[in-house]
Amino acid sequence: MTVVASPFDPARVRTRTRLGTYLRDAPAAAVIIVALLVLVAIFAPWIAPHDPLKPLPGARINTDPAWQTGDWSAVLGTDFQGRDILSRVIHGTRISVVVGLVGTLVAGSIGLAVGVVAGYLGGIVDQILMRIVDAWLAIPALIFAVFLAMVFQDGLGIWSIVIILGAVFWTRYARVIRGEVLSLRERDFVRLAQVAGAGRWRVMRRHIVPNVLNTWMVLASLTVGVVIILEASLSFLGIGVPPPDPAWGSMIAEARIGLLAGNWVPVAAPAVPIAATVFAFNLLGDWLRIRLDPTQRNL
Amino acid sequence: MLRYILRRVVYSVITLLLLSVTIFLIVRATGDPARTYAGPEASEEEVALIRAEYGLDRPLLAQYGSFVGDIVTGDLGRSFQYRQPVLDVYLDRLPRSLLLASLAFTLSLAIGIPAGVLSAVRSGSWAARAFRAVALTGVSIPNFVIATALIFVFSVKLGWLPTSGSGSAKQLVMPTIALGWYFAAATMRLTQSSMLEVMRGDYVKLARLKGVPERLVILKHALKNALIPVLTLAAVNFVVMVNVAVVIEQIFAWPGIGDLVAVGISMRDFPLVQGVVLMAGAMVVTVNFVLDVVYAWLDPRIRLNR
């Protein structure tokens, strides 16, 4: 038989949560990876040994990594245009971090607004907004993003990707947050605010939105990883961040042919950071989900 | 029950209509749909030709009318690349995609559900912890990274499997794993959280108090209910796997619908991509409708509640 932990003993309560003990230390790992990424993204031009867009002067193309050639000026070797792979990976951090965070923020903001308005106003507004959400949700994310990318061909570069990702993912927030608002709407503090004469926009802003922010945070942290993977997939397919900008996805696509000849470093160099980044955000998301809202486990 | 079904039919039709409106408006959001259809490399004459053929100079409502009319009659436009109706090309590729998706689907459930149950039931054990770590890694690695890693290990280094193509069973192994991997991990995570949710239920406690053996409590009482969200996700994911294995099919040169999209992207064949979007959306709406009806049939609370 299990012993019920005292709710006043935070350590006990935490060890009894679902993902148990291993998550207790895990956020530290996630926080370190994310912090590292953000730092690398900010200071990329100072960290990177070379220009990511220009070939190394005098260097050959597709050279092997330094531990095979002994030439430490290009630690991970050069790519098919003679550019330093390490510098490109470092600069690629900027793209993934910016796209991941801003894309999530754009999607989250639209979703929050739609979810709160639909849930709180109810009635016909809710019906219309939710049917639109249903329709948008029906299109699988990748094909939807491909479709949008083909319509808005290379309009704004990295920012059009952010907008595309926002357009693809806002529906997930809207659906969940609307559900949350439906029950919040019936709570006493909302009723009291209404009785006290607060207008509907004021109630939404002051009483509803702050109460769905926990859910929003959880959704957001779990979306970042998906958004980064989708951006990488688009770049891999050649319709993401346009060349010559060093997106991790397009770097893998470019290095794929060399893989058949056994050159795994140019593929692994961008692949490992993608996986690490997404892993860190997912870990953080899982942890937040359990800390902030135990009922949101099915997302 | 009939009333419930009718209501779901109406909802689904509305959703499909809104889906078509969405696609229709997005295509026109750039201001020049003829240019979008023709692609960036097309000449002015070609663009003008497209504009006349699709009637893109008519009023918006008239354009939408023929857009929906065409879709309903199965006319999804013509592919530039294949010089055939999009629907024909799509149906031609469908069996291959269904085959690959079925295999990946089976793999993902066969791994995901037992692993999820195990990690929920034995949540403290090291096996459960290992499963959770693998699942979290699984949803963190993009499928094209898995695919390239598989090719490197099994084709380049070991030489066991062909890098790409179709025709033999061997060529299906890596695409199946690469495609099923993510869904196996996602299925496991959902099964686990769903199981934990269900195991807290009163009827599970009652079953235990009655002295039902733990194995039966888990398999008969808990799992049955825990599987509902899992199977919902799986059904939609199947549609996704059929239509959106773009990267996997391109890497392994598997001639399915995903490969069609990849061709559409590289050849700027817009009608092709739009056709797949419409088909995928329609399939998801249909699957959701079927699921709603099946659940309502299984569980009277659902049909009486709304």
Side-chain angles (χ1 to χ4, degrees):
Chain A
M1 274 286 104
T2 47
V3 181
V4 178
S6 153
F8 303 108
D9 181 358
R12 285 295 290 282
V13 174
R14 205 155 18 131
T15 43
R16 284 182 47 80
T17 54
R18 186 169 56 93
L19 288 184
T21 42
Y22 103 87
L23 251 187
R24 195 171 39 172
D25 321 71
V31 167
I32 290 170
I33 297 179
V34 171
L36 209 65
L37 275 165
V38 172
L39 286 178
V40 170
I42 294 172
F43 297 109
W46 291 276
I47 303 170
H50 302 288
D51 186 325
L53 305 181
K54 292 206 189 78
L56 285 183
R60 287 176 301 119
I61 60 162
N62 293 327
T63 57
D64 288 326
W67 56 87
Q68 284 170 21
T69 59
D71 171 17
W72 287 90
S73 67
V75 178
L76 296 176
T78 59
D79 71 356
F80 72 110
Q81 291 190 358
R83 296 171 297 197
D84 179 36
I85 291 176
L86 179 64
S87 302
R88 285 180 68 74
V89 171
I90 290 173
H91 276 268
T93 313
R94 287 191 151 182
I95 293 173
S96 277
V97 169
V98 168
V99 168
L101 295 181
V102 182
T104 302
L105 206 64
V106 170
S109 310
I110 305 172
L112 180 69
V114 173
V116 167
V117 169
Y120 187 72
L121 296 184
I124 186 76
V125 178
D126 181 35
Q127 281 294 325
I128 293 171
L129 287 175
M130 281 304 115
R131 292 289 83 73
I132 293 175
V133 167
D134 280 348
W136 284 52
L137 263 179
I139 313 171
L142 179 62
I143 185 80
F144 198 10
V146 165
F147 173 73
L148 289 171
M150 283 187 77
V151 173
F152 302 103
Q153 302 147 355
D154 48 63
L156 295 158
I158 186 171
W159 297 111
S160 58
I161 302 294
V162 166
I163 293 166
I164 286 171
L165 294 170
V168 170
F169 286 113
W170 68 272
T171 44
R172 290 146 206 247
Y173 291 81
R175 169 69 71 74
V176 175
I177 285 172
R178 176 225 177 223
E180 195 105 314
V181 173
L182 282 184
S183 67
L184 276 176
R185 189 171 71 168
E186 311 298 330
R187 297 273 293 274
D188 287 342
F189 65 91
V190 175
R191 292 270 186 248
L192 284 172
Q194 289 164 344
V195 171
R200 43 165 65 156
W201 299 109
R202 188 182 160 81
V203 174
M204 279 188 241
R205 211 176 60 239
R206 297 293 299 269
H207 301 281
I208 303 282
V209 171
N211 281 296
V212 293
L213 279 186
N214 269 0
T215 305
W216 189 90
M217 279 292 296
V218 173
L219 276 174
S221 59
L222 291 173
T223 314
V224 177
V226 188
V227 167
I228 290 177
I229 288 187
L230 191 58
E231 180 272 317
S233 305
L234 287 180
S235 294
F236 182 87
L237 289 167
I239 46 173
V241 177
D245 281 342
W248 290 339
S250 45
M251 292 180 68
I252 295 179
E254 288 158 4
R256 206 158 58 84
I257 303 153
L259 192 77
L260 297 181
N263 291 330
W264 58 272
V265 174
V267 173
V272 171
I274 294 181
T277 308
V278 178
F279 183 78
F281 279 110
N282 281 341
L283 205 57
L284 218 54
D286 262 0
W287 173 73
L288 263 182
R289 179 172 63 162
I290 290 153
R291 285 305 298 273
L292 294 181
D293 192 353
T295 61
Q296 289 293 323
R297 286 178 179 162
N298 290 344
L299 291 169
Chain B
M1 185 69 193
L2 194 67
R3 270 190 55 160
Y4 179 82
I5 294 179
L6 275 177
R7 186 156 350 133
R8 294 326 297 181
V9 170
V10 172
Y11 272 170
S12 303
V13 170
I14 293 175
T15 307
L16 284 173
L17 272 177
L18 283 170
L19 186 75
S20 68
V21 173
T22 304
I23 302 298
F24 176 81
L25 288 180
I26 288 174
V27 173
R28 278 148 187 84
T30 52
D32 190 1
R35 172 55 70 184
T36 306
Y37 276 112
E41 272 106 50
S43 66
E44 279 308 313
E45 291 80 50
E46 284 171 307
V47 174
L49 211 68
I50 296 273
R51 187 172 294 128
E53 190 189 322
Y54 285 82
L56 296 174
D57 39 11
R58 290 177 301 156
L60 214 55
L61 219 57
Q63 285 184 44
Y64 180 69
S66 46
F67 179 74
V68 170
D70 284 350
I71 295 174
V72 171
T73 53
D75 180 1
L76 298 179
R78 277 182 82 82
S79 156
F80 301 134
Q81 181 62 22
Y82 294 95
R83 302 180 185 286
Q84 274 179 50
V86 169
L87 190 64
D88 291 1
V89 187
Y90 185 93
L91 292 178
D92 192 43
R93 296 292 189 101
L94 190 59
R96 293 251 174 216
S97 274
L98 283 175
L99 173 64
L100 179 58
S102 310
L103 289 172
F105 180 79
T106 312
L107 179 81
S108 71
L109 292 189
I111 294 176
I113 292 176
V117 171
L118 194 135
S119 67
V121 174
R122 303 243 175 283
S123 50
S125 72
W126 72 265
R129 251 178 263 173
F131 275 140
R132 281 197 292 264
V134 170
L136 194 64
T137 316
V139 294
S140 301
I141 305 179
N143 54 15
F144 55 88
V145 171
I146 301 280
T148 34
L150 286 172
I151 289 181
F152 182 71
V153 174
F154 292 104
S155 301
V156 179
K157 284 286 155 192
L158 299 172
W160 290 352
L161 296 166
T163 52
S164 62
S166 61
S168 76
K170 264 189 169 180
Q171 279 153 329
L172 270 164
V173 176
M174 288 196 291
T176 302
I177 296 173
L179 186 58
W181 170 274
Y182 176 87
F183 295 104
T187 304
M188 195 222 114
R189 282 160 63 89
L190 186 60
T191 308
Q192 186 211 353
S193 59
S194 179
M195 274 298 277
L196 285 168
E197 198 80 44
V198 167
M199 302 268 278
R200 282 200 299 262
D202 287 339
Y203 64 93
V204 171
K205 279 185 201 137
L206 179 68
R208 280 193 179 135
L209 288 175
K210 278 194 306 190
V212 178
E214 185 66 17
R215 212 169 52 88
L216 282 183
V217 172
I218 291 162
L219 292 181
K220 256 188 99 175
H221 296 257
L223 185 59
K224 263 190 179 174
N225 283 290
L227 279 184
I228 292 175
V230 177
L231 294 181
T232 309
L233 178 85
V236 174
N237 275 344
F238 182 72
V239 178
V240 172
M241 282 193 257
V242 168
N243 288 289
V244 193
V246 182
V247 178
I248 298 294
E249 291 188 5
Q250 193 198 22
I251 290 178
F252 292 107
W254 182 260
I257 289 160
D259 180 60
L260 210 56
V261 175
V263 169
I265 294 168
S266 57
M267 296 296 156
R268 294 279 165 188
D269 191 340
F270 188 77
L272 202 55
V273 173
Q274 182 188 274
V276 178
V277 171
L278 288 168
M279 290 301 287
M283 282 185 192
V284 170
V285 173
T286 312
V287 165
N288 279 331
F289 167 74
V290 173
L291 286 175
D292 277 346
V293 172
V294 170
Y295 290 157
W297 177 61
L298 290 174
D299 186 348
R301 282 174 303 184
I302 295 174
R303 62 176 183 262
L304 296 174
N305 234 335
R306 304 192 192 172

